[in-house]
């Protein structure tokens, strides 16, 4: 996420005299506290994906760069998936580590990667928070829309199967694209992002951490305001986040859920809850009247800010951890492709024998600090102490040093389970 003045300082020519030994660590800590994700980057993964740069795709008012990954075997009228990288990243890095190109090969879709740079934002973030870039018909939002138009025309892609996903600032920009162009995108997946138009009356930093609490109706209205004359169906939305994220805190996932369930006229209580992947990611699904999953929230346990990946060659594995903000946990891209309806290698939804929200198997367990429990909405604070949501049990002081395990059963009811949690 952006902080241009600090980024510009860190980007200056290095001094010939060594810096004090404590300074790099101090700067890294400050960067995390400010939500800028400026910790010293690990070496980037070796580029393994061949991308094609598209030089002319429209007027490009947002000054973005377009890249395309075209599988060797592409069916007629393929679907299009637009991918938006996070701050400090670029299109190549996202292609090399997200696992999306492998899925494009297997599932036969065209992958479009939009890229921003330091000329737009000192930290190479998409400007999801600026009105000149997050409104329909202008700026970066229009540039991404023009990329889709070019893909449909140049590659014969299916305009009825266009999807978008992204991380962090790219995740927030994903929400922008769903809100401003609901007539273009059928669905989107927001990874560690924020609800649309939070910055209308708040700073980006406040939106990121501690987050902004509004009613579902208020959030939904902000999306409707993005395209007031629109009367068609709203895009489906998947929301991914790590339950230890302190850069874009988990409250934003709850607010995103509120925004998109309200748009679809759905309750904020999930229709069904299951555990998926090798790390038992909790998946809450909100079904429309016709049985389709209109909104989905995937809470990945034990990780912070980044794209969940699961390196390997297994059917449900993908991605790499050779660069910052790609976190070894679950192959989120595989599950996102299933949510889009593009991946048929495995079940994306629970079958008749799988646990639903009322089954004993649907209980979820969370082990974290009191601070993290509060940030994730599993507990509240009062008078400096922490209390479990639902049971109201006193969990001790509100800080990062006290750790408890909470069991959630039924959905939204948390109880202490330090002695063991099935």
């Amino acid at each position: 996420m952006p902080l241009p003045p600090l980024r510009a300082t860190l980007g200056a020519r290095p001094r010939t005299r060594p810096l004090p030994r404590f300074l790099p660590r101090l700067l890294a800590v400050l960067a995390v506290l400010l939500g800028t994700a400026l910790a010293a980057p690990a070496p980037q993964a070796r580029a393994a994906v061949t991308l094609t740069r598209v030089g002319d795709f429209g007027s490009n008012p947002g000054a973005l760069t377009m890249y395309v990954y075209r599988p060797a075997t592409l069916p007629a009228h393929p679907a299009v998936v637009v991918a938006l990288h996070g701050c400090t990243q670029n299109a190549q890095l996202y292609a090399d580590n997200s696992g999306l190109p492998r899925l494009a090969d297997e599932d036969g879709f065209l992958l479009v990667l939009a890229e921003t740079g330091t000329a737009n934002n000192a930290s190479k973030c998409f400007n999801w928070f600026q009105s000149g870039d997050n409104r329909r018909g202008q700026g970066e939002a229009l540039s991404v829309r023009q990329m889709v138009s070019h893909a449909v025309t140049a590659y014969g892609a299916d305009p009825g199967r266009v999807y978008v996903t992204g991380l962090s600032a790219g995740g927030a920009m994903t929400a922008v694209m769903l809100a401003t162009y609901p007539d273009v995108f059928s669905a989107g997946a927001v990874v560690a992002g924020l609800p649309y138009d939070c910055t209308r009356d708040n700073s980006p930093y406040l939106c990121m951490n501690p987050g902004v609490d509004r009613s579902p109706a208020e959030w939904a209205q902000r999306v409707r305001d993005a395209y007031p004359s629109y009367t068609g169906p709203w895009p489906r939305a998947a929301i991914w986040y790590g339950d230890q994220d302190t850069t874009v805190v988990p409250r934003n996932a709850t607010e995103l859920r509120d925004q998109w369930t309200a748009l679809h006229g759905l309750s904020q209580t999930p229709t069904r809850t299951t555990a998926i992947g090798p790390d038992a990611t909790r998946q809450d699904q909100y079904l429309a009247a016709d049985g389709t999953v209109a909104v989905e929230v995937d809470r990945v346990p034990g990780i912070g800010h980044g794209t969940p990946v699961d390196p390997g060659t297994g059917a449900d594995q993908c991605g790499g951890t050779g660069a910052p903000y790609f976190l070894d946990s679950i192959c989120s891209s595989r599950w996102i492709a299933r949510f889009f309806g593009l991946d048929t290698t495995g079940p994306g939804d629970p079958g008749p024998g799988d646990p639903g929200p009322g089954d004993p198997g649907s209980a979820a367990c969370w082990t974290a600090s009191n601070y993290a429990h509060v940030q994730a909405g599993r507990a509240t604070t009062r008078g400096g102490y922490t209390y479990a949501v639902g049971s109201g049990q006193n969990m001790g002081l509100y800080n990062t040093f006290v750790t408890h395990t909470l069991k959630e059963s039924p959905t939204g009811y948390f109880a202490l389970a330090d002695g063991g949690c099935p």
Side-chain angles (χ1 to χ4, degrees):
M1 292 297 176
L3 188 68
L6 180 57
R7 183 66 183 176
T9 300
L10 294 180
R13 184 182 300 277
R15 301 171 183 265
T16 56
R17 185 173 60 212
L19 293 171
R21 294 177 63 184
F22 68 85
L23 189 55
R25 180 173 179 82
L26 176 61
L27 290 174
V29 171
L30 287 172
V32 171
L33 290 174
L34 291 169
T36 62
L38 296 179
Q44 293 186 3
R46 183 177 179 181
V49 177
T50 300
L51 303 179
T52 300
R53 179 171 177 169
V54 178
D56 183 10
F57 58 86
S59 61
N60 191 18
L64 301 180
T65 304
M66 177 180 179
Y67 292 92
V68 170
Y69 177 77
R70 185 188 190 282
T73 303
L74 191 67
H77 311 300
V80 176
V81 174
V82 177
L84 306 172
H85 62 79
C87 296
T88 76
Q89 298 180 337
N90 57 34
Q92 186 69 62
L93 192 71
Y94 208 71
D96 290 342
N97 291 278
S98 65
L100 286 169
R102 172 185 165 185
L103 298 179
D105 288 335
E106 295 176 359
D107 302 325
F109 61 81
L110 186 72
L111 179 61
V112 173
L113 298 109
E115 181 179 282
T116 187
T118 55
N120 281 8
N121 182 287
S123 297
K124 297 193 290 186
C125 309
F126 288 97
N127 289 323
W128 57 274
F129 52 90
Q130 292 185 352
S131 59
D133 289 301
N134 66 13
R135 296 291 188 263
R136 183 179 175 89
Q138 62 190 46
E140 292 180 357
L142 179 54
S143 289
V144 175
R145 197 272 176 264
Q146 289 176 344
M147 293 181 192
V148 172
S149 296
H150 178 86
V152 170
T153 301
Y155 296 90
D158 183 352
R161 292 192 299 148
V162 178
Y163 310 94
V164 60
T165 185
L167 164 69
S168 191
M173 201 67 189
T174 294
V176 168
M177 299 313 301
L178 294 178
T180 56
Y181 291 100
D183 52 334
V184 173
F185 296 96
S186 297
V190 179
V191 183
L194 301 97
Y196 175 69
D197 210 16
C198 179
T199 53
R200 178 192 295 184
D201 44 13
N202 294 284
S203 76
Y205 304 106
L206 182 62
C207 290
M208 290 157 54
N209 188 348
V212 175
D213 183 20
R214 297 196 179 281
S215 71
E218 288 178 296
W219 281 127
Q221 189 57 48
R222 295 198 175 200
V223 174
R224 295 189 185 98
D225 291 344
Y227 188 8
S229 63
Y230 181 68
T231 58
W234 294 107
R236 299 163 55 242
I239 300 151
W240 284 76
Y241 75 97
D243 69 356
Q244 303 296 310
D245 195 336
T246 57
T247 301
V248 180
V249 297
R251 170 185 278 182
N252 284 291
T254 300
E255 303 304 314
L256 271 164
R257 177 207 65 186
D258 290 353
Q259 187 168 61
W260 290 92
T261 51
L263 277 168
H264 284 274
L266 301 175
S267 164
Q268 283 70 60
T269 300
T271 309
R272 61 191 179 201
T273 298
T274 55
I276 62 171
D279 57 356
T281 288
R282 171 179 162 161
Q283 184 179 83
D284 291 338
Q285 294 183 323
Y286 303 78
L287 272 60
D290 62 0
T292 60
V293 181
V295 179
E296 178 181 287
V297 181
D298 296 273
R299 299 177 174 87
V300 186
I303 68 168
H305 190 66
T307 298
V309 296
D310 183 13
T313 58
D316 279 342
Q317 292 183 295
C318 74
T321 56
Y325 313 114
F326 293 95
L327 309 177
D328 193 352
S329 48
I330 181 176
C331 171
S332 58
S333 292
R334 173 72 74 187
W335 288 91
I336 287 169
R338 288 175 186 167
F339 178 78
F340 291 163
L342 303 176
D343 175 35
T344 57
T345 61
D349 299 332
D354 293 325
D359 299 325
S362 65
C365 299
W366 315 88
T367 301
S369 70
N370 281 353
Y371 172 82
H373 281 310
V374 171
Q375 293 298 309
R378 298 185 289 267
T380 60
T381 61
R382 187 171 67 253
Y385 286 85
T386 306
Y387 299 87
V389 170
S391 68
Q393 292 171 304
N394 189 329
M395 300 165 58
L397 292 173
Y398 174 50
N399 59 37
T400 59
F401 304 105
V402 179
T403 298
H404 285 294
T405 297
L406 292 178
K407 177 181 178 180
E408 182 180 13
S409 182
T411 300
Y413 185 94
F414 297 89
L416 284 168
D418 292 333
C421 193

